[in-house]
Amino acid sequence: MQLLTEAVGLVASLFSLVVWMPQAARVWRVRHDPVQLSGVSLLTQAMSVGGAVAWTAYAVLIESFWVGAPSVVNGPLAVATIVVVRRARRAGERFAVPVRDVDPAPLPGPDAVTLAA
């Protein structure tokens, strides 16, 4: 039974590790593009760090390696994601082109000709 429990823990840990890899890879790939990083929630990443710390503490308290194993990877990945996104956003703000106040194009009135497709 101990071997089965350890095998289930290993598989669960692998799934928990792999789930963050695509996000981390994407963030790293577009790390210099604040527009593409705009969909990354820093609050979610911060909560992931908190969860990783809590799961690690829980794993130590119950002396279970497999409960804490994913947090050893996912916590630092979340911290790295926060750092990369914040740097990109700061760099984007530094190089942003100011937008001038311009009157928007007038909307077509009732006299406008519309083409039917």
Side-chain angles (χ1 to χ4, degrees):
M1 189 63 154
Q2 179 70 17
L3 182 60
L4 177 62
T5 302
E6 291 296 315
V8 169
L10 171 66
V11 171
S13 289
L14 288 175
F15 277 118
S16 294
L17 288 170
V18 171
V19 74
W20 285 101
M21 296 299 175
Q23 172 94 13
R26 180 177 180 276
V27 165
W28 185 254
R29 203 172 36 252
V30 299
R31 66 187 175 275
H32 300 295
D33 188 350
V35 173
Q36 289 193 26
L37 291 172
S38 64
V40 177
S41 168
L42 293 180
L43 177 59
T44 299
Q45 299 302 318
M47 290 175 21
S48 294
V49 171
V53 169
W55 277 111
T56 301
Y58 179 67
V60 168
L61 291 172
I62 67 169
E63 299 175 359
S64 174
F65 174 77
W66 293 118
V67 169
S71 300
V72 173
V73 174
N74 293 344
L77 278 178
V79 170
T81 299
I82 291 169
V83 169
V84 166
V85 170
R86 288 185 57 129
R87 282 183 182 169
R89 289 181 183 170
R90 272 198 308 264
E93 290 170 1
R94 203 173 27 228
F95 297 114
V97 177
V99 178
R100 296 181 305 161
D101 289 332
V102 179
D103 289 335
L107 297 174
D111 297 337
V113 177
T114 55
L115 301 174

